Amino acid sequence: MTESFKAFVVDEQDGKVTNQFKDITIDDLPEGEVLIKVKYSGINYKDALATIENSKVVNTYPMVPGIDLAGVIEHSDAHAFEPGEEVIVTGYDLGSSHYGGFSEYARVKEEWIVPLPKDLTLEEAMIYGTAGYTAGLAIEKLERNGLSVEKDDVLVRGATGGVGTLAVMMLDSIGFDVVASTGKSDVEEKLKSLGAKEVIPRISETDNKLLGKRTWQGAIDPVGGESLSQIIKQIDYNGSIAVIGMTGGHKFDSSVFPFILRGTSIIGIDSVYTEMKQRKHIWRRLARDLKPDHLHEIKQVIKFSNIEDSIKKVLEHNNSGRIVIDFEA
């Protein structure tokens, strides 16, 4: 490898955040047992937030953002991994307190690494990224709680976001009838082409009823906020909601009625510190039964040098699909 390589570095001085490409060396990387030559990464909303002031994403400066990466092991001090192996790293402290994927090389802890599953390419792993992994984890936990293709529809909120889009595609791929909820008025045909049976407007209002009409057997919810209470009221008997995000806020009010009269469950989804055995299991599912035939339709591949323009689009909510950084493009 070369003595120096490029990384996209976020720094702070006198309260002002700066972003720029820098030439760094292996010695600049944080400690870890495994050095990875990064082939692909992806731009998540969290990554974009890491580049602005007062985002609370970055714990220490300077920082290389990028909560996802996929690449080939360059050097390993860990017995479990050998040079040349293709691997995935998502979550943990990557991109927040440990240099992340926006770099030509990354050094990480061995316990963060997932071997690339058979039937999945490095590029496909980053089309998924944390968003796809989170959607897969939510589906797995809902299934364990009784979600079944033999029952009624499944609601996916925030259906045009990363988690939402991939959740729609995955659920459809394994036979579920999916109702996609979105605040965007011009995406109905697109969501239906990705697998939604029905597209409904954003659910934002709540009423004073303690229970509503039983409408969905389960839901995947990256939105949260007060409107979550309305979803809870409309889940069918023994149904469950996988709560993933809080784009709509971090608080909601609810009575105990849906929980004690209908057996409703709320399942929290944490994709950052998932136990490794389960993490590997979900990635294997992403390579097989959860893998949509049209996964590549939602990718937008960019060069590493074009990362700033794409980050701006993400911050302005002016992008669609999954942005994949190809370091060799």
Side-chain angles (χ1 to χ4, degrees), residues 20-40:
Q20 60 183 311
F21 286 98
K22 286 187 175 182
D23 289 326
I24 65 173
T25 69
I26 296 300
D27 292 337
D28 296 316
L29 296 176
E31 292 184 359
E33 295 81 18
V34 182
L35 178 67
I36 300 170
K37 181 174 176 57
V38 181
K39 297 289 189 179
Y40 296 93

Side-chain angles (χ1 to χ4, degrees), residues 17 46 49-61 96:
V17 172
K46 184 177 180 180
L49 287 177
T51 67
I52 64 176
E53 296 171 13
N54 303 316
S55 69
K56 303 188 187 308
V57 171
V58 176
N59 296 325
T60 57
Y61 292 96
S96 58

Side-chain angles (χ1 to χ4, degrees), residues 65-328:
I67 63 173
D68 302 330
L69 67 86
V72 177
I73 293 178
E74 181 83 10
H75 174 81
S76 175
D77 293 323
H79 295 299
F81 297 100
E82 297 288 340
E85 287 188 63
E86 295 181 316
V87 294
I88 309 164
V89 186
T90 64
Y92 298 102
D93 298 330
L94 207 66
S96 58
S97 57
H98 188 104
Y99 281 16
F102 293 177
S103 173
E104 292 179 318
Y105 287 87
R107 187 161 55 194
V108 301
K109 298 178 181 180
E110 63 175 308
E111 59 265 30
W112 294 0
I113 299 174
V114 175
L116 183 74
K118 183 182 177 181
D119 302 321
L120 194 69
T121 68
L122 291 172
E123 183 189 57
E124 288 170 340
M126 290 297 96
I127 299 175
Y128 282 131
T130 289
Y133 172 73
T134 304
L137 183 59
I139 292 169
E140 171 86 6
K141 291 197 171 186
L142 288 172
E143 288 174 332
R144 291 185 181 182
N145 208 58
L147 198 76
S148 170
V149 294
E150 298 176 356
K151 298 180 182 178
D152 294 331
D153 298 343
V154 180
L155 174 69
V156 176
R157 300 184 75 195
T160 58
V163 173
T165 298
L166 284 158
V168 168
M169 297 170 71
M170 291 180 200
L171 286 165
D172 173 67
S173 71
I174 54 177
F176 284 93
D177 289 329
V178 184
V179 175
S181 172
T182 177
K184 297 181 180 180
S185 58
D186 58 345
V187 295
E188 181 173 355
E189 291 306 313
K190 179 63 176 178
L191 286 172
K192 286 184 175 179
S193 73
L194 294 177
K197 181 189 79 170
E198 180 183 358
V199 179
I200 64 174
R202 176 185 294 146
I203 300 166
S204 56
E205 297 183 1
T206 61
D207 55 42
N208 294 323
K209 297 179 180 179
L210 297 177
L211 290 171
K213 180 182 178 182
R214 292 181 284 113
T215 308
W216 311 288
Q217 64 160 313
I220 292 179
D221 185 14
V223 179
E226 289 296 339
S227 55
L228 176 57
S229 63
Q230 189 65 36
I231 309 302
I232 294 170
K233 297 174 189 178
Q234 292 181 239
I235 296 296
D236 206 346
Y237 289 116
N238 299 313
S240 50
I241 306 166
V243 177
I244 292 167
M246 54 180 184
T247 58
H250 64 280
K251 293 182 179 180
F252 68 94
D253 293 320
S254 178
S255 75
V256 300
F257 278 65
F259 306 103
I260 63 174
L261 297 182
R262 290 183 177 169
T264 301
S265 299
I266 293 181
I267 303 171
I269 305 298
D270 171 29
S271 61
V272 177
Y273 295 109
T274 317
E275 189 265 335
M276 182 53 73
K277 182 178 179 181
Q278 185 172 45
R279 187 180 291 268
K280 290 179 178 179
H281 170 70
I282 298 301
W283 276 107
R284 286 193 294 269
R285 289 197 67 185
L286 293 176
R288 295 171 187 170
D289 68 303
L290 289 178
K291 186 177 181 181
D293 292 335
H294 45 311
L295 178 64
H296 286 264
E297 292 182 15
I298 65 168
K299 74 179 181 183
Q300 176 190 348
V301 180
I302 66 166
K303 297 179 180 179
F304 187 31
S305 58
N306 294 337
I307 192 172
E308 291 177 283
D309 290 340
S310 294
I311 286 173
K312 183 179 179 182
K313 290 180 181 179
V314 172
L315 287 172
E316 295 174 347
H317 303 284
N318 192 28
N319 68 294
S320 61
R322 294 280 298 155
I323 301 174
V324 177
I325 305 166
D326 183 345
F327 283 80
E328 297 183 344

Side-chain angles (χ1 to χ4, degrees), residues 8-25:
F8 186 72
V9 181
V10 176
D11 208 347
E12 182 184 51
Q13 189 171 10
D14 299 326
K16 184 177 181 179
V17 172
T18 61
N19 310 288
Q20 60 183 311
F21 286 98
K22 286 187 175 182
D23 289 326
I24 65 173
T25 69

